[in-house]
Amino acid sequence: RIEKDIKNSFAYSADEVKFTGKKNALTLLTLSPEFSYVSYSLSGDKLLRLIRTNKDALKTDSETKPKILAQNIKQIEFTYLYPDPDTKELKENDNWTDNTALPTAVRVSLILEKKAETK
């Protein structure tokens, strides 16, 4: 689900892409499955996908529909890759604050909680 949303993300305009990334959260515009503003984050051990769709996507006061994508998640990490302007080599950062461009790629890492063994 996360991969599909990232692959279908797009810049809202040349001045404002509406893509914000932190080490443990991601918010973006996507066309998957429809025009949507989506956020990913952890709530306790649950990976949440919060979504606003269609005409409500850009309204900050509209209702957000949370969906639990996975449970027993210990940690989620996002890493944002971009070309260095001088060397053109890919560099990475754990935050994405550039409001005028999308990252070249996003690496997503999940660490699962170890379940206790039952006897």
Side-chain angles (χ1 to χ4, degrees), residues 1-30:
R1 179 76 259 176
I2 297 172
E3 178 184 9
K4 191 173 186 179
D5 282 339
I6 292 170
K7 281 184 177 181
N8 289 291
S9 67
F10 63 96
Y12 178 67
S13 71
D15 299 329
E16 188 176 15
V17 296
K18 296 206 179 284
F19 185 108
T20 306
K22 296 179 182 175
K23 186 173 185 171
N24 57 2
L26 172 64
T27 302
L28 55 91
L29 280 174
T30 185

Side-chain angles (χ1 to χ4, degrees), residues 64-84:
T64 305
K65 301 172 191 169
K67 180 178 180 184
I68 297 172
L69 291 184
Q71 295 187 49
N72 300 318
I73 306 295
K74 184 175 183 177
Q75 181 179 341
I76 188 166
E77 280 189 6
F78 297 97
T79 306
Y80 308 93
L81 288 87
Y82 62 96
D84 182 283

Side-chain angles (χ1 to χ4, degrees), residues 31-56:
L31 293 173
S32 172
E34 55 198 339
F35 180 71
S36 304
Y37 198 52
V38 176
S39 294
Y40 288 96
S41 62
L42 283 182
S43 178
D45 72 341
K46 295 174 180 63
L47 175 59
L48 297 182
R49 181 178 187 254
L50 300 144
I51 184 169
R52 295 191 309 253
T53 59
N54 296 322
K55 65 180 185 289
D56 292 328

